[in-house]
Amino acid sequence: MVLDKKDTRNIWEKIGDYFSANSIWMKWYCTGCGAIEMPPTMTSRFDMERLGMGPMATPRQADVLLITGYLSTKTLRRVIYSYEQMNSPRYIVGFGSCTINGGIYYDSYATINQLDKYLPVDLYIAGCMPRPEAIMNGFAALIEMIKKGEANGWRHYQENYEWYKKNQLESLGEVIINDEFHE
Amino acid sequence: MNAMNFIYAFLMLVFVFIFQTSLTGFNRKVTARLQKRYGARWYQQFLDIFKAMRKDSTTHGWVFDFGVIMALGGIMATVIFIPVAGFRAFPGTDNVFVISYLLAVGMLGMAMSAAGSGNPWASIGVGRALTNMLAYDIPLMIVIFTMIFAFDSASVGELAKMQQGMGILGWNAFRMPLGGIVAVIALMGMLGKKPFDSFIAPAEIASGPMVEYGGKHLGFMFILHEFMTFIEVSLIINLFFGGGATIWEYMLKYAVLYTFTNIVSGVMPRFKIDQAVKYFYRVPLAMAIIQGIVVIFTGLGVTIWF
């Protein structure tokens, strides 16, 4: 573990990070209301393809898992499955205030409040909802972070897997499954 | 055949990769402009490929891994046999049948690998891709067999050379107008451009055969796709648009035809797979058969313009 801020990447990792920063493929996990802000970001007004970003069809192909809004404990399980299907280096962007502190669902019995406890979030985009300007701004920041090698959430997840796993299990609770595979 | 042939073949692969990837990047910009967007950088496709090659990757068993390598190997071997502006890495081997059989190695490798991932979307995508292939191949093959019969040669390079020196009217697309139209429509089907892209439909079957690919596997698939595009467009250019006397002429024709298919694709909706098959078996097949009858029984098209 390196404690100072010195750049410890070798030349190949720096080149790799340059490619990663300039070609961001996203899997949109659109459960919340934030999904409606993505079409204007993608189409002719804001045009995120200028920065090399684009939507992909499956988590396997994607680099960024974009979580747009609140997560119920039921969808959290699917988000974790999706995240664990992705290939590293992989990044998570939390989108809107619901992923930061629960937003307007802060006292709901069915939603999680803080996404950071369950998955390693690299960047939050605050707002309810963030406008496309804020999204573009946020992704410009993510690109800078990847270029400098600061977006290390996926490494953090590997190193602190027990802590994340414990939080995940606490939140998901006991699940009783009744189907032909489990009886 | 000596060592120089193999060096030429290697250089050709490098040239094809750089040329076709740049052109894909350019065409992403063309598509963006059609949609009133600014679009990606022209070298974005290179960044995407190298990024994918840099990532970790998940395997789904040795069939999945081996299929990718087999497909890439088969497609790269096919590229070597394509004549470019009269240049052939291995002279005398550019037969239509050699190319179509070698191409099948790549296609089957892809199908095997995708099916080996075990994902049902991949199987649906492969099924659709092979159905689509059956649909466009029959009209196109009728036209190509007609051409082989009429000109008495199955060498792609020879067929291209026969069309040169007579200006634009010497091209087979103008000698056999119906055949030319069939070829361009079949090219849309081969490249998987809209309206014939139901096998990679991202929103319906999660990008079909590509669904389980990520990281290095996906990078290989992207490279493979660039090579495959080159083979398909090159076949049509050589057989129907006169090849090219110089490499610049060839590249210009190639860029125009490829950009044309992209522009058409940009304004089209998507056929369902059964609609695509019905369409190919109704319009292009009828046109191909009429063209074949005209050429074989009247000799029109072989001799009409000169």
Side-chain angles (χ1 to χ4, degrees):
Chain A
M1 195 68 195
V2 183
L3 294 174
D4 62 359
K5 282 195 166 179
K6 215 178 83 205
D7 197 344
T8 54
R9 296 173 297 163
N10 64 29
I11 180 80
W12 295 110
E13 282 167 336
K14 278 181 188 166
I15 293 172
D17 281 346
Y18 169 78
F19 289 131
S20 283
N22 285 298
S23 161
I24 293 180
W25 291 341
M26 293 183 285
K27 177 78 201 126
W28 299 345
Y29 203 92
C30 293
T31 53
C33 27
I36 203 67
E37 299 292 339
M38 293 320 290
T41 318
M42 190 171 64
T43 49
S44 55
R45 177 113 187 239
F46 293 98
D47 186 21
M48 66 185 179
E49 205 191 0
R50 281 179 299 141
L51 302 183
M53 304 189 295
M56 288 311 257
T58 68
R60 293 262 188 237
Q61 302 164 355
D63 307 313
V64 168
L65 185 60
L66 183 69
I67 295 169
T68 62
Y70 68 88
L71 285 174
S72 69
T73 47
K74 216 173 178 178
T75 49
L76 177 65
R77 181 186 291 276
R78 274 77 199 176
V79 168
I80 294 167
Y81 288 165
S82 302
Y83 181 67
E84 292 188 345
Q85 280 181 29
M86 289 164 68
N87 298 310
S88 50
R90 52 191 171 175
Y91 314 101
I92 293 189
V93 174
F95 187 97
S97 52
C98 291
T99 55
I100 301 176
N101 56 12
I104 61 168
Y105 302 104
Y106 71 98
D107 58 350
S108 166
Y109 66 94
T111 64
I112 57 155
N113 281 357
Q114 202 183 329
L115 179 60
D116 215 357
K117 280 166 73 180
Y118 310 99
L119 288 170
V121 180
D122 289 291
L123 182 89
Y124 285 114
I125 302 173
C128 184
M129 293 310 299
R131 295 270 305 131
E133 292 94 328
I135 300 170
M136 296 299 282
N137 219 355
F139 273 105
L142 181 70
I143 288 172
E144 278 308 308
M145 281 170 70
I146 297 175
K147 258 184 204 164
K148 287 181 194 155
E150 290 167 3
N152 280 324
W154 57 279
R155 216 167 259 150
H156 193 257
Y157 188 71
Q158 284 172 357
E159 284 160 7
N160 301 291
Y161 187 65
E162 288 81 18
W163 187 79
Y164 283 111
K165 193 79 190 169
K166 187 169 71 64
N167 288 342
Q168 288 167 3
L169 288 175
E170 264 172 28
S171 161
L172 295 173
E174 193 183 350
V175 181
I176 299 162
I177 302 168
N178 289 311
D179 61 16
E180 67 266 37
F181 303 113
H182 291 87
E183 279 176 358
Chain B
M1 201 183 293
N2 52 30
M4 279 317 281
N5 292 106
F6 291 93
I7 294 170
Y8 285 147
F10 177 74
L11 289 178
M12 185 163 163
L13 286 173
V14 174
F15 162 76
V16 167
F17 175 70
I18 293 173
F19 173 60
Q20 175 58 40
T21 311
S22 312
L23 195 61
T24 308
F26 172 72
N27 270 283
R28 281 174 74 168
K29 235 175 163 53
V30 169
T31 311
R33 290 297 160 92
L34 280 178
Q35 297 167 350
K36 297 198 174 182
R37 291 189 290 118
Y38 185 74
R41 293 156 285 207
W42 70 267
Y43 54 91
Q44 185 63 47
Q45 195 73 10
F46 288 102
L47 296 180
D48 286 352
I49 290 173
F50 294 140
K51 192 273 317 256
M53 298 300 284
R54 181 255 170 144
K55 289 186 73 172
D56 290 355
S57 160
T58 317
T59 180
H60 298 278
W62 73 271
V63 174
F64 183 75
D65 296 342
F66 175 70
V68 173
I69 302 297
M70 174 176 155
L72 188 60
I75 296 293
M76 281 165 83
T78 318
V79 167
I80 293 169
F81 292 103
I82 299 280
V84 177
F87 170 79
R88 277 163 281 185
F90 296 104
T93 49
D94 55 343
N95 200 294
V96 173
F97 300 103
V98 172
I99 290 169
S100 56
Y101 271 90
L102 267 178
L103 198 58
V105 174
M107 299 265 193
L108 291 178
M110 241 162 85
M112 195 174 89
S113 166
S117 74
N119 193 309
W121 294 129
S123 301
I124 293 175
V126 168
R128 285 186 183 186
L130 295 179
T131 315
N132 191 47
M133 199 167 127
L134 201 66
Y136 69 69
D137 245 9
I138 290 180
L140 182 67
M141 277 301 156
I142 289 176
V143 176
I144 291 180
F145 287 162
T146 306
M147 195 183 292
I148 291 172
F149 174 82
F151 293 105
D152 224 7
S153 167
S155 157
V156 177
E158 291 302 315
L159 284 169
K161 205 179 267 176
M162 281 177 202
Q163 303 166 48
Q164 289 164 11
M166 286 163 283
I168 198 166
L169 293 179
W171 296 357
N172 279 335
F174 292 94
R175 291 193 198 184
M176 308 176 181
L178 288 177
I181 293 168
V182 171
V184 174
I185 295 175
L187 180 65
M188 303 280 294
M190 277 197 252
L191 293 176
K193 298 287 179 196
K194 279 174 247 175
F196 309 114
D197 69 335
S198 58
F199 59 95
I200 46 160
E204 294 152 24
I205 54 170
S207 73
M210 313 289 280
V211 63
E212 283 290 334
Y213 291 97
K216 293 183 177 63
H217 289 88
L218 190 63
F220 278 130
M221 288 316 244
F222 267 76
I223 294 172
L224 185 151
H225 186 251
E226 306 298 346
F227 281 132
M228 194 121 100
T229 307
F230 180 82
I231 293 168
E232 287 156 353
V233 180
S234 283
L235 266 186
I236 302 299
I237 289 283
N238 274 322
L239 292 177
F240 292 92
F241 295 91
T246 63
I247 184 80
W248 305 113
E249 188 190 338
Y250 188 87
M251 279 160 70
L252 182 70
K253 279 181 191 172
Y254 184 103
V256 169
L257 182 64
Y258 184 63
T259 310
F260 171 78
T261 61
N262 249 307
I263 291 172
V264 175
S265 172
V267 293
M268 283 279 179
R270 181 182 296 144
F271 273 152
K272 287 197 248 173
I273 188 68
D274 51 335
Q275 289 170 331
V277 174
K278 270 182 201 155
Y279 173 76
F280 269 117
Y281 282 178
R282 201 176 289 146
V283 185
L285 187 62
M287 277 157 61
I289 290 174
I290 293 170
Q291 185 66 66
I293 291 171
V294 168
V295 170
I296 290 169
F297 290 104
T298 68
L300 223 64
V302 184
T303 53
I304 187 167
W305 298 112
F306 54 94

